[in-house]
Amino acid sequence: MTEEASPGQRVNTRCCIVGGGPAGMMLGFLLARAGIDVVVLEKHKDFLRDFRGDTIHPSTLEVMHELGLLDEFLKIPHQEVRQLTGQVGDERVTIADFSHLPTRCKFVALMPQWDFLNFLAEHGARYPGFHLRMETDVTDLIRDDDRITGVRGTSPHGPFAVMADLVIGADGRHSIVRERAGLEAEDLGAPMDVFWMRLSRRPDDPYETLGRVDIGRVFVMLNRGDYWQCALVIPKGSAEEVQREGLEAFRGTIARLAPFLRDRLDEIKSWDDVKLLTVKLDRLRQWYRSGLLCIGDAAHAMSPIGGVGINLAIQDAVAAANILAEPFVRGAVTLEHLRAVQRRRAFPTRATQRLQLFIQNRFIRRVLESATKPSLPWPLKLLRRFPLLQRIPARLIGLGFRPEHVRTKERGPGV
Ligand SMILES: Cc1cc2nc3c(=O)[nH]c(=O)nc-3n(C[C@H](O)[C@H](O)[C@H](O)COP(=O)(O)OP(=O)(O)OC[C@H]3O[C@@H](n4cnc5c(N)ncnc54)[C@H](O)[C@@H]3O)c2cc1C
């Protein structure tokens, strides 16, 4: 599954993917399956990181079905979220009901992201063209005049270089590829950051995945079986201030937002048990240049609102594979093919970000800045009054604006 880079190694491949997150691993898998030689470079030594976002959406489960992998995939332990519920002040409302989606799986699967990525790595390893290199940190691009021809970086075994017909930047929100390629990003702004933590879950706790909104705070609890994965949304840049107020005040905030957690707040023993994730919302004006394409968060950093970033990243990967596989097999990927990937994915990206901005600015920002109890916003009032409307957020969260389907064919040894 994993290859070690030997000292000073220089490797040639058709496609070099920087970043083994959802976008990079899915694209690597799909291209290798289509018979194309691909090298995926991941800077960490494994996929074992907490709080990466553990949602597998119905559209991704549909992709797994199209690949013939769904039954095996669902054997991995997971929880199935069929409804999303929110509580604003004292009022509860079902926000999304996935049970009517036109997909095989009418739920969001909550599964540790490392299980998902390991699954793709194991299945990718069945194809001779799939090469995953862990602990390889890309630090720069290699150029030939104006064209990107490869990447260089470091690994525990020393420096390495990978030369490729195409470099893919799938290295996430802090993408070095986009920065080194000089691709210009439009910053859309985000008013919040997020503290993540785990608290144990008891048999008599509520079952659903919950969001709670109260004076000055938003709190989300994802049911992960024997624990709750909790997110406390705070105003951007206020993490130090929250920490200065001390752990006791922090525990008090959570007790106020979710009183049933009161009896286990001593599980938060120090700030080491609470991880800060900074939120960013932006997108590249142009996702490509000669020899290079960015996808996923590297092309458009997503806010955690709606938990849709992973879905979008995977959909980018499926679309990129659909558009690029044939040109790879026939000989050359041109600028026109790269432009076609951006054209295909620009609309769902813009539409999703517009919706995230609307929720951020019209709702979250106001709650975070307010000192009074929030009231149910009008979109949620509508959802409560007309439950049929709960199918709309379910579609947007579960499928996205332009669900992609696998069009690439499985082929033999790499080209
Ligand atoms: C607080 C927070 C919570 C979120 N929760 C959710 C959620 O519940 N559901 C959801 O769908 N989305 C969520 N998101 C959004 C989601 O995390 C991203 O949209 C998604 O992970 C993007 O996938 P990606 O593959 O493009 O990038 P990433 O998941 O960021 O993967 C990039 C990979 O590249 C690697 N890498 C980076 N730099 C280099 C380098 N120089 N060399 C080699 N490798 C490198 C990284 O180690 C990483 O593995 C959340 C975001 C935030 C900020």
Side-chain angles (χ1 to χ4, degrees):
M1 177 176 103
T2 305
E3 293 173 16
E4 298 293 328
S6 59
Q9 193 177 345
R10 190 181 175 95
V11 174
N12 291 306
T13 184
R14 302 295 311 281
C15 182
C16 173
I17 299 176
V18 183
M25 289 302 290
M26 180 55 89
L27 182 58
F29 171 81
L30 289 171
L31 290 181
R33 178 178 173 273
I36 294 146
D37 197 77
V38 50
V39 173
V40 183
L41 305 174
E42 167 55 46
K43 71 177 173 187
H44 290 98
K45 72 170 188 286
D46 53 38
F47 295 124
L48 283 176
R49 265 153 294 140
D50 231 341
F51 310 125
R52 294 183 56 133
D54 295 338
T55 47
I56 310 286
H57 296 251
S59 54
T60 302
L61 295 167
E62 200 68 6
V63 165
M64 289 308 210
H65 167 73
E66 288 162 2
L67 292 168
L69 297 174
L70 183 63
D71 290 344
E72 197 184 335
F73 183 62
L74 288 178
K75 286 186 187 140
I76 301 173
H78 63 277
Q79 292 79 43
E80 296 178 2
V81 177
R82 291 171 191 274
Q83 279 194 341
L84 290 182
T85 315
Q87 181 168 328
V88 180
D90 300 323
E91 300 188 84
R92 264 170 97 95
V93 58
T94 300
I95 296 169
D97 175 2
F98 299 108
S99 61
H100 299 278
L101 289 181
T103 45
R104 261 147 213 92
C105 299
K106 298 175 193 311
F107 55 83
V108 174
L110 289 182
M111 180 189 289
Q113 198 182 107
W114 59 80
D115 282 343
F116 173 58
L117 298 176
N118 276 328
F119 185 88
L120 288 177
E122 276 160 28
H123 283 268
R126 295 197 332 238
Y127 302 105
F130 183 81
H131 314 280
L132 171 62
R133 290 163 186 257
M134 305 300 284
E135 274 190 291
T136 46
D137 189 357
V138 171
T139 53
D140 207 352
L141 301 173
I142 302 171
R143 295 169 176 80
D144 183 359
D145 285 335
D146 217 21
R147 185 178 171 80
I148 307 301
T149 53
V151 302
R152 65 167 61 89
T154 57
S155 78
H157 310 284
F160 69 88
V162 180
M163 307 306 294
D165 297 345
L166 179 67
V167 170
I168 300 277
D171 50 342
R173 292 178 300 147
H174 306 290
S175 171
I176 187 123
V177 171
R178 70 145 85 158
E179 187 233 304
R180 293 296 148 107
L183 296 174
E184 197 191 325
E186 189 183 345
D187 188 358
L188 305 172
M192 76 274 198
D193 289 323
V194 179
F195 276 127
W196 283 99
M197 72 223 87
R198 275 173 185 236
L199 289 168
S200 58
R201 192 171 162 273
R202 310 263 159 90
D204 52 345
D205 282 353
Y207 182 80
E208 329 99 287
T209 284
L210 297 165
R212 295 200 172 182
V213 181
D214 214 326
I215 306 168
R217 289 288 181 262
V218 179
F219 191 58
V220 178
M221 286 162 283
L222 304 179
N223 173 357
R224 304 306 306 273
D226 57 356
Y227 71 94
W228 290 103
Q229 186 174 334
C230 305
L232 180 68
V233 181
I234 56 167
K236 183 139 222 77
S238 69
E240 276 183 25
E241 192 186 321
V242 173
Q243 285 173 332
R244 260 200 313 274
E245 285 166 5
L247 264 185
E248 214 33 62
F250 185 77
R251 292 191 198 103
T253 303
I254 295 170
R256 180 164 56 78
L257 288 158
F260 74 92
L261 293 176
R262 215 179 271 275
D263 58 355
R264 64 209 84 162
L265 288 172
D266 55 355
E267 291 170 15
I268 306 172
K269 293 192 183 354
S270 77
W271 288 109
D272 291 341
D273 298 322
V274 183
K275 306 272 179 292
L276 174 70
L277 286 171
T278 51
V279 178
K280 210 171 156 181
L281 189 67
D282 69 19
R283 63 174 171 255
L284 296 180
R285 292 182 206 281
Q286 188 171 307
W287 298 17
Y288 59 90
R289 54 176 287 185
S290 182
L292 180 138
L293 171 72
C294 287
I295 61 168
D297 268 21
H300 46 73
M302 303 303 291
S303 147
I305 291 172
V308 290
I310 295 169
N311 189 34
L312 223 65
I314 288 170
Q315 301 287 308
D316 282 2
V318 175
N322 287 344
I323 292 168
L324 302 179
E326 273 310 307
F328 263 125
V329 172
R330 281 201 310 272
V333 171
T334 64
L335 222 47
E336 193 44 51
H337 297 118
L338 304 182
R339 193 173 296 132
V341 176
Q342 176 171 355
R343 260 205 310 267
R344 172 90 200 157
R345 297 304 303 159
F347 161 69
T349 301
R350 270 202 314 272
T352 311
Q353 289 186 326
R354 205 166 290 157
L355 210 58
Q356 290 191 322
L357 271 174
F358 175 81
I359 297 171
Q360 269 183 196
N361 295 336
R362 288 294 183 85
F363 185 54
I364 295 192
R365 187 190 295 277
R366 284 186 193 172
V367 169
L368 293 178
E369 286 171 358
S370 167
T372 56
K373 215 169 180 63
S375 57
L376 210 57
W378 64 263
L380 295 192
K381 280 186 187 149
L382 273 179
L383 290 179
R384 194 169 58 180
R385 179 114 198 248
F386 304 105
L388 262 182
L389 295 179
Q390 293 160 11
R391 297 181 189 188
I392 299 172
R395 239 190 138 90
L396 297 180
I397 295 168
L399 301 182
F401 282 93
R402 181 177 277 163
E404 303 287 349
H405 297 279
V406 178
R407 311 248 181 257
T408 45
K409 302 231 171 349
E410 191 168 13
R411 280 205 185 83
V415 289

